[in-house]
Amino acid sequence: MASDELIKLPSYWTREAVRRVLAVLEKNIVCDVAVVGAGLTGLSVAFHLKSQFPTLDVRVFEAGMIGSGASGRSGGIIVDHPDLFGSRMDSRYLRDFLQANLINCDLEMRSDHPHQFLLNPWKLTVGISSLCRHIGV
């Protein structure tokens, strides 16, 4: 199998996902911010921009399925370790964000490793996508 065919295979997380057909861009549009990629980073940027600046016209563009790139292929491990700069703050922010926005992504602490959390990155991506739609992205 050629390497360019590998990306087309469903990931562990998305193998049973419902594939929503996205609208095809058929004309040029004008917006304040164009985010390319509907993975965790792109959707998070879009959500936080629109949350902080509600009058911005923020659009997200995705060539494939939401979360079908690196976000959908992530191992879903969050490290919360005192020796890694920022990891405690980042994991605390993520847990607070999930709770505040009622996103269920199967977050759980690993029983065999006290500084790691597991989550389903596909469910996280879908949750942030729903938040974006809710606020008009």
Side-chain angles (χ1 to χ4, degrees), residues 4-65:
D4 60 344
E5 294 174 15
L6 290 176
I7 196 71
K8 296 176 185 175
L9 296 174
S11 76
Y12 173 81
W13 304 110
T14 62
R15 68 188 184 284
E16 295 177 7
V18 175
R19 279 143 176 90
R20 206 172 127 232
V21 177
L22 301 175
V24 175
L25 185 63
E26 295 179 354
K27 62 180 180 175
N28 291 338
I29 63 166
V30 176
C31 59
D32 297 317
V33 179
V35 177
V36 178
L40 288 173
T41 302
L43 291 170
S44 182
V45 166
F47 173 77
H48 285 89
L49 273 173
K50 187 69 172 178
S51 295
Q52 292 295 313
F53 305 100
T55 60
L56 278 181
D57 181 10
V58 180
R59 308 283 179 105
V60 178
F61 299 91
E62 172 58 53
M65 185 176 75

Side-chain angles (χ1 to χ4, degrees), residues 80-101:
D80 180 8
H81 197 279
D83 295 337
L84 294 175
F85 178 75
S87 75
R88 284 243 157 123
M89 183 173 49
D90 293 344
S91 64
R92 187 176 311 116
Y93 172 81
L94 178 62
R95 290 188 309 246
D96 292 346
F97 178 81
L98 295 174
Q99 185 175 18
N101 292 288

